[in-house]
Amino acid sequence: MTSNNDDGYIKTATHNYVSRQAVVQNPAKVELKGKSVLQPGVTVRGDLAVIRMGRYCFIEETSELSPAPLAGDKHVPMVLRGNIMIGKGCKIEASAIGTNVYIGAASTIGKRCIIKDNCWIEDGTVLGSDVVIPPFSRVRGAPGKVVEEMPPSASLEIQELAQRTYQEFVSSNPAT
């Protein structure tokens, strides 16, 4: 069940907000668990493979989620767990992104990357294909390198950031 509003977003029964200017290709293969936001210009390539997103995933303008190719015309399913922030203009081809992950604006996450839980990817970071980022890592640069181990409190801080961003989005859009 969905409802349309005057703000340009479609609200689903599980409180996801999908911009009318977002492109979700083959929505039958895109699963949003709830309380996620796809902003204008976001592209989700469900036509290539299944994409599963947990709760509190916030995908900012002009970012693209595109499952990575395997062999031939097959693609790897993409799993984004929960409490994930993806900044503006990102290109994501990861196979898995863990819980409590922040990906800064204009970052490129290469084919079949795995980003474990509680990671912070700085703006403009470029990760090549098949890179695995360990838990509690801060990553920066092109090519991206782990520059710092995050403190144990990072899990709570990123979770709170994702949930606060969702709540601020909902409260600043009265029609939602």
Side-chain angles (χ1 to χ4, degrees), residues 156-171:
L156 186 57
E157 290 169 5
I158 298 171
Q159 175 183 343
E160 288 174 350
L161 174 64
Q163 293 177 10
R164 183 175 60 248
T165 301
Y166 173 83
Q167 295 302 331
E168 287 170 358
F169 171 83
V170 171
S171 65

Side-chain angles (χ1 to χ4, degrees), residues 19 31 55 65-66 88 90 105 108 122-123 146 154 160 165:
S19 169
E31 181 180 317
R55 293 170 54 89
L65 303 178
S66 182
K88 294 179 183 178
C90 291
T108 301
E122 302 270 339
D123 291 356
V146 175
E160 288 174 350
T165 301

Side-chain angles (χ1 to χ4, degrees), residues 38-85:
L38 303 180
Q39 291 196 316
V42 167
T43 302
V44 181
R45 298 291 313 270
D47 60 320
L48 300 175
V50 172
I51 298 176
R52 290 186 177 91
M53 295 170 54
R55 293 170 54 89
Y56 295 105
C57 291
F58 197 92
I59 317 298
E60 291 189 30
E61 293 95 346
T62 68
S63 288
E64 181 179 343
L65 303 178
S66 182
L70 264 177
D73 61 350
K74 296 188 183 227
H75 288 74
V76 179
M78 181 182 285
V79 177
L80 288 78
R81 295 208 36 223
N83 301 316
I84 295 173
M85 304 277 304

Side-chain angles (χ1 to χ4, degrees), residues 5-176:
N5 60 49
D6 299 333
D7 238 2
Y9 284 88
I10 298 167
K11 179 182 177 184
T12 69
T14 54
H15 303 280
N16 296 300
Y17 293 89
V18 179
S19 169
R20 292 174 195 251
Q21 283 95 38
V23 177
V24 180
Q25 297 175 335
N26 194 358
K29 291 173 77 178
V30 177
E31 181 180 317
L32 303 173
K33 288 287 188 188
K35 297 189 176 182
S36 292
V37 177
L38 303 180
Q39 291 196 316
V42 167
T43 302
V44 181
R45 298 291 313 270
D47 60 320
L48 300 175
V50 172
I51 298 176
R52 290 186 177 91
M53 295 170 54
R55 293 170 54 89
Y56 295 105
C57 291
F58 197 92
I59 317 298
E60 291 189 30
E61 293 95 346
T62 68
S63 288
E64 181 179 343
L65 303 178
S66 182
L70 264 177
D73 61 350
K74 296 188 183 227
H75 288 74
V76 179
M78 181 182 285
V79 177
L80 288 78
R81 295 208 36 223
N83 301 316
I84 295 173
M85 304 277 304
I86 296 177
K88 294 179 183 178
C90 291
K91 171 77 170 154
I92 310 292
E93 294 184 276
S95 58
I97 299 176
T99 303
N100 305 324
V101 173
Y102 176 90
I103 299 174
S107 292
T108 301
I109 309 301
K111 296 172 176 63
R112 298 171 303 277
C113 282
I114 298 173
I115 300 174
K116 302 286 186 160
D117 297 343
N118 309 307
C119 290
W120 190 280
I121 312 296
E122 302 270 339
D123 291 356
T125 296
V126 177
L127 296 178
S129 298
D130 302 306
V131 172
V132 177
I133 301 298
F136 292 96
S137 295
R138 180 180 295 271
V139 180
R140 169 183 317 134
K145 299 203 182 306
V146 175
V147 295
E148 178 183 12
E149 183 177 336
M150 302 283 286
S153 62
S155 62
L156 186 57
E157 290 169 5
I158 298 171
Q159 175 183 343
E160 288 174 350
L161 174 64
Q163 293 177 10
R164 183 175 60 248
T165 301
Y166 173 83
Q167 295 302 331
E168 287 170 358
F169 171 83
V170 171
S171 65
S172 70
N173 291 284
T176 57

